Amino acid sequence: MAKLLFLTGKLAEHSLHQVLASILADSKQSPFEYEVKHIGVSVAALMTPSLIARRVPKVENIDKVILPGLCQGDLEPLVAQWGVPVERGPKDLKDLPQYFGQKGKAPDLTRHSVTIFAEIVDAPDLTVEQIVAKAVHFQQQGADVIDLGCLPGKSFAHMSAAIHALKAEGFQVSVDSMRDDDLLAAGKAGADYLLSLHEHNLWIADEVESIPILIPAKPTNVASLTRAIEHCLQRGRRFIADPILDPIHFGLTDSIVRYHKLRKRYPDIEMMMGVGNLTELTDADTTGVNALLFGVISELNINAVLATSVSPHASEAIAEADIARRVMYRASQDKRLPRGYSSGLLGLHDRKPFPYSAEEIMDWASQIKDPSFRIMVSEQGVHVYNRDGIQHGTDPFSFYAGLNLQNDASHAFYLGVELARAQIAWQLKKRYVQDEMLEWGVASIQQNRQAKIAHREASIKERLDNTRVAPDSGQAPDTE
């Protein structure tokens, strides 16, 4: 039986024992032995590998060491020092059951069945270098094919050069135009796909190797699309059919019915859906729009999407499409609802925003013996506390008078930032962790760790300048 060592801070030690006991009480949990050791800091998040190495010089009869998830730094020196594996656990100890697999193993989201075409809608207005740069950005967000959009009435003299440049960088390329001359030139330049051909210009497909994306000759004319499909089937020519998704109040429901009927008639052909008519043309957060659309796409076994990222509110639409196709594929394979697979499309809310109750936070606050402030969020609001007491509310401005920070600008600035985050988290029902940025799904950004602690040095210097006395290390405005 494996024996695990959990290193933690003083405040979390009791709660950690409780959570571990509840994990082992689960009959489905593989048994393990454990030891909990606090290393003399009050809050586990302040533990660093160098501090741990000094305070825990060796471990004996231990198979693995688990550190708090917020512990920063390289863990390899600890592995070398102790000779056993060292891992970070979850950021919050209340998430340890998931860490041990009690809520199910982390789902495999590496597979999907949808190809994402990312359209550069203003390609004629960009230089070749700018087109390649935007293609790289879209590829990083999850795009498989870069689509060059041609603008009506505008020349795209460098289209062939752009195709050659993209192909040289290893991209698959499609070209989207209403002009036959553009489509023919794109095919001859090596475009992999042509958007969009119909029954009246299908001759272009006979002139080039590009795969045609078929659309109705006139909007909503399914018979026209069917004739184009039959033409390609009779010739054994690969194609992708797109009945066209219309925006809300301009035929959305009817267009979804067209997709459904076409799939029923042709269960094995490749199909495309252009999702931009909803993500771009609806004032709603695109995470939810993409989740719903990709649910339809999964049910209808649609094989490709044309996605755009033009409107500022749709800036992450391609990355959202990438998450959505993976989640829906996995849920379909598992024959489950698309819940619990990823938080990538939960931009505004979290499913479990408040891990601690107000009563639990009050209990933590009663154990504090130092002046540094802690901030936590419960369903009842924001809690800020130190050895002098606890304040609770939903408006951070109400806390100011009781914080006594009039002579500590750096500390006040820090608490202002953290309390603002905490208020946003409470209002939107998001998970808040002190000193950590809020998570916004696919729109989350990497935190600058150095910037996060810079206020500490500034605060210490300020107090030194004001008092000429070495500050108490416990005064640092963080979660010590």
Side-chain angles (χ1 to χ4, degrees):
M1 185 183 303
K3 185 171 184 180
L4 309 180
L5 171 62
F6 292 83
L7 299 183
T8 188
K10 296 176 184 177
L11 293 178
E13 184 178 12
H14 177 68
S15 295
L16 180 55
H17 275 291
Q18 290 181 320
V19 173
L20 289 171
S22 69
I23 292 171
L24 288 176
D26 187 336
S27 59
K28 297 180 181 179
Q29 174 65 48
S30 299
F32 60 87
E33 295 180 351
Y34 72 87
E35 177 184 342
V36 173
K37 179 180 181 64
H38 78 70
I39 67 167
V41 297
S42 57
V43 173
L46 295 180
M47 295 164 55
T48 63
S50 58
L51 177 65
I52 294 169
R54 293 194 302 272
R55 298 193 178 183
V56 187
K58 63 180 180 178
V59 298
E60 295 179 339
N61 301 318
I62 295 296
D63 297 300
K64 183 188 296 184
V65 179
I66 311 295
L67 304 182
L70 293 175
C71 175
Q72 302 299 317
D74 183 10
L75 304 185
E76 287 305 314
L78 292 177
V79 174
Q81 179 174 325
W82 295 334
V84 297
V86 181
E87 295 181 2
R88 291 183 180 87
K91 290 183 178 180
D92 196 298
L93 64 86
K94 285 291 186 76
D95 294 327
L96 270 174
Q98 291 93 317
Y99 176 81
F100 281 100
Q102 284 193 353
K103 304 300 182 181
K105 295 181 179 180
D108 177 10
L109 299 181
T110 59
R111 301 176 62 193
H112 60 81
S113 59
V114 179
T115 299
I116 296 176
F117 289 63
E119 183 178 6
I120 302 177
V121 299
D122 56 347
D125 292 333
L126 304 177
T127 66
V128 171
E129 291 76 15
Q130 289 171 327
I131 289 172
V132 172
K134 186 166 284 191
V136 169
H137 172 68
F138 286 160
Q139 185 183 59
Q140 291 171 344
Q141 288 192 316
D144 304 295
V145 181
I146 302 303
D147 181 63
L148 300 178
C150 297
L151 299 173
K154 178 164 287 191
S155 173
F156 193 178
H158 55 299
M159 179 181 65
S160 295
I163 294 171
H164 293 151
L166 289 170
K167 297 292 291 183
E169 295 294 329
F171 290 100
Q172 290 192 75
V173 182
S174 64
V175 171
D176 189 352
S177 178
M178 301 297 293
R179 296 175 50 185
D180 293 353
D181 290 347
D182 288 337
L183 294 171
L184 184 60
K188 291 182 176 180
D192 299 281
Y193 302 87
L194 297 180
L195 285 76
S196 300
L197 299 185
H198 47 76
E199 62 175 333
H200 301 313
N201 64 359
L202 262 178
W203 59 268
I204 296 174
D206 296 328
E207 302 289 330
V208 296
E209 298 296 323
S210 311
I211 298 167
I213 312 297
L214 305 181
I215 63 171
K218 293 183 179 180
T220 75
N221 189 341
V222 178
S224 169
L225 177 58
T226 299
R227 288 191 291 270
I229 290 172
E230 290 294 339
H231 176 91
C232 290
L233 287 175
Q234 291 170 9
R235 286 159 177 75
R237 179 67 187 269
R238 183 186 170 189
F239 64 92
I240 302 176
D242 184 356
I244 305 300
L245 184 72
D246 292 320
I248 295 171
H249 294 147
F250 290 86
L252 170 64
T253 303
D254 286 342
S255 65
I256 292 176
V257 171
R258 289 198 301 271
Y259 277 94
H260 183 262
K261 287 183 176 179
L262 193 68
R263 176 51 80 205
K264 286 287 187 180
R265 180 168 181 173
Y266 299 103
D268 299 320
I269 68 170
E270 293 183 71
M271 292 174 62
M272 170 182 277
M273 179 181 286
V275 296
N277 275 348
L278 256 66
T279 57
E280 296 282 351
L281 304 181
T282 308
D283 279 349
D285 294 305
T286 53
T287 49
V289 176
N290 268 316
L292 181 59
L293 282 176
F294 275 84
V296 174
I297 287 164
S298 179
E299 288 193 353
L300 294 180
N301 190 27
I302 292 172
N303 318 94
V305 297
L306 177 64
T308 56
S309 183
V310 181
S311 172
H313 88 285
S315 61
E316 302 294 334
I318 293 167
E320 293 161 7
D322 182 43
I323 290 289
R325 64 175 172 174
R326 297 172 189 277
V327 167
M328 296 304 169
Y329 177 85
R330 187 71 265 157
S332 174
Q333 295 295 303
D334 295 342
K335 294 180 172 56
R336 285 181 48 198
L337 295 171
R339 300 185 69 195
Y341 286 95
S342 170
S343 61
L345 298 178
L346 287 170
L348 293 183
H349 312 289
D350 283 325
R351 288 192 60 197
K352 296 181 179 180
F354 309 123
Y356 297 94
S357 67
E359 291 74 19
E360 288 176 302
I361 294 172
M362 290 289 290
D363 182 57
W364 278 55
S366 67
Q367 303 176 52
I368 298 299
K369 307 299 181 184
D370 62 73
S372 295
F373 287 100
R374 282 81 171 173
I375 302 170
M376 300 180 74
V377 178
S378 74
E379 190 172 358
Q380 284 68 45
V382 179
H383 307 257
V384 56
Y385 57 92
N386 66 0
R387 69 183 179 190
D388 299 322
I390 184 169
Q391 297 187 71
H392 159 250
T394 58
D395 180 6
F397 283 105
S398 66
F399 299 149
Y400 180 73
L403 296 176
N404 297 316
L405 296 173
Q406 294 84 348
N407 298 317
D408 191 346
S410 177
H411 200 166
F413 175 82
Y414 164 77
L415 285 178
V417 171
E418 286 299 320
L419 287 171
R421 286 177 179 162
Q423 182 195 32
I424 292 169
W426 174 78
Q427 187 172 357
L428 292 180
K429 293 181 172 57
K430 296 184 67 64
R431 181 74 70 94
Y432 169 80
V433 179
Q434 190 170 350
D435 280 338
E436 294 291 309
M437 287 186 174
L438 299 180
E439 294 290 334
W440 302 102
V442 297
S444 299
I445 60 175
Q446 187 67 35
Q447 184 165 11
N448 184 330
R449 297 287 172 184
Q450 183 55 41
K452 185 186 79 171
I453 64 173
H455 71 89
R456 302 175 185 172
E457 298 176 0
S459 180
I460 292 172
K461 183 178 184 300
E462 184 174 325
R463 288 199 297 272
L464 282 171
D465 291 342
N466 290 338
T467 65
R468 299 300 179 184
V469 177
D472 181 351
S473 61
Q475 293 283 342
D478 51 32
T479 57
E480 287 182 67

